[in-house]
Amino acid sequence: MPTPDATHLRQAVTETVTVLTPHTDADWQVPAGTLDWTCWTTAAHIAHDLLAYAGQLTGRPDTGYLPFDLRVHDTATPADLLQVITACGGLLHAALTTAGPDTRAWHFGPCDPAGFAAMGVAETVLHTHDITTGLGVPWQPPQELCAGVLERLFPHAPAGDPARVLLWTTGRAPLDGRPPRNPWTWQAAVA
């Protein structure tokens, strides 16, 4: 599996928009899967993280997150949220495309572009899974994208179906008789 990059991020965002667009008329105020957030808030969170990662890569802070935030208007519809996700995904895609391999920016330590790409893919597909679960839409994250995330962010994850392992590793589902992990964290920083 290739290390996650800008192409994988674009695939994740495209997948999210494709799977959620037919359901923009549903009630997005329902809980998103096992999260305490609504589907609406979860979609806004995807956009927030994509923008934050783009900011980190272009601003290159080395001690913390840049002091800015994304505010999605309360009147935004689910269709609007998908446009915001697309826009923020485009900004992270551009940041990943222009960052050199030696670029480092803070995410609980120095993180490389591949780490930010993997986190962007993870946030996108995992929270899309949360939203589809909340909306009652059967969907699983794409195997290839999950395999890349596991390789980069969870190097000690068990072998198995990449989507099922990623859902287990992030506390969303049981795996082979093992309960969902809680708490969990990923390893994005590099030495």
Side-chain angles (χ1 to χ4, degrees), residues 26-167:
D27 179 7
W28 284 43
Q29 294 306 313
V30 299
T34 60
L35 302 179
D36 293 332
W37 297 336
T38 66
C39 293
W40 191 99
T41 301
T42 304
H45 173 78
I46 294 170
H48 168 273
D49 282 356
L50 296 175
L51 179 65
Y53 297 157
Q56 290 303 100
L57 267 178
T58 56
R60 299 181 188 170
D62 58 5
T63 59
Y65 269 96
L66 294 172
F68 76 95
D69 208 348
L70 172 67
R71 180 181 173 276
V72 178
H73 292 220
D74 295 340
T75 58
T77 66
D80 294 334
L81 285 167
L82 295 179
Q83 286 184 310
V84 176
I85 289 170
T86 299
C88 293
L91 292 170
L92 180 53
H93 181 272
L96 289 165
T97 301
T98 59
D102 295 331
T103 300
R104 298 292 182 267
W106 191 86
H107 183 82
F108 301 98
C111 186
D112 62 351
F116 282 104
M119 290 187 296
V121 169
E123 291 286 350
T124 303
V125 300
L126 289 168
H127 288 311
T128 298
H129 183 268
D130 297 331
I131 294 167
T132 57
T133 300
L135 297 177
V137 175
W139 180 80
Q140 289 293 308
Q143 299 293 323
E144 178 186 359
L145 296 176
C146 294
V149 167
L150 288 168
E151 182 178 306
R152 177 58 180 80
L153 300 179
F154 299 99
H156 303 295
D161 173 90
R164 291 184 61 225
V165 172
L166 183 59
L167 293 173

